[in-house]
Amino acid sequence: MARTGTLVAGGIVGAAILFGTGLWYAQQRSYYTIVTGIDSVRIGQRDFAVTGYEGADGTTSPLKLRGCFRVDDPAAAIAAGHPAPDAVPLTTPDWIACFDEDAILSDLSAGRATAIMAGEDEGDGADLYMAIYPDGRAYSWRLANEKYKE
């Protein structure tokens, strides 16, 4: 009888480990596509040249977008967007190494970077935001808009 209990308990633990691994993979790795080689971004009604673009996006949710790049004309890029002082970058899977949401948020709060809304309704119910630094470093992400705020 004790052997049967051990087998049942082992099966439950094994199933939990498999389920947990699958859930972690679905949240952190699955449904993301690595994006590189983009040479321009649209802010408002203008396209801006960028270099070194790397990031991720996904077809399952517009909120999966994360981008890291350098914009050639940061002052003009900031002027083309709408000020977004309350923009907060979303958490990012660890493997997207260029996007550190804590550092970006800290820099936005301290005034070392400027947050703008670069585009409205960029995907189903999401607006495009960017943090742009005076030296040209820039980061992009999407946040839910009024369609999903409730």
Side-chain angles (χ1 to χ4, degrees):
M1 187 71 157
R3 182 146 174 87
T4 303
T6 302
L7 290 173
V8 169
I12 292 170
V13 169
I17 289 171
L18 286 173
F19 178 78
T21 301
L23 183 62
W24 172 86
Y25 183 82
Q27 293 297 313
Q28 295 291 317
R29 301 286 180 162
S30 187
Y31 308 113
Y32 279 95
T33 302
I34 295 173
V35 180
T36 59
I38 291 177
D39 59 4
S40 69
V41 295
R42 180 165 281 273
I43 301 173
Q45 300 301 315
R46 290 184 53 194
D47 290 330
F48 288 86
V50 300
T51 56
Y53 190 100
E54 62 178 286
D57 203 353
T59 57
T60 58
S61 170
L63 302 181
K64 290 190 178 292
L65 173 76
R66 304 294 186 282
C68 310
F69 52 93
R70 293 190 80 80
V71 65
D72 289 348
D73 190 351
I78 291 168
H82 301 288
D86 297 332
V88 175
L90 299 175
T91 30
T92 304
D94 292 338
W95 60 271
I96 304 174
C98 69
F99 196 97
D100 182 346
E101 66 275 358
D102 293 330
I104 295 167
L105 183 57
S106 174
D107 289 345
L108 289 171
S109 298
R112 292 185 291 269
T114 302
I116 62 168
M117 182 196 303
E120 292 184 68
D121 215 22
E122 293 263 326
D124 184 31
D127 297 329
L128 179 65
Y129 290 85
M130 292 181 186
I132 302 176
Y133 290 76
D135 66 1
R137 288 177 294 143
Y139 302 91
S140 61
W141 67 94
R142 291 189 188 112
L143 292 174
N145 62 22
E146 295 303 316
K147 181 176 180 179
Y148 292 113
K149 289 252 174 153
E150 293 181 24

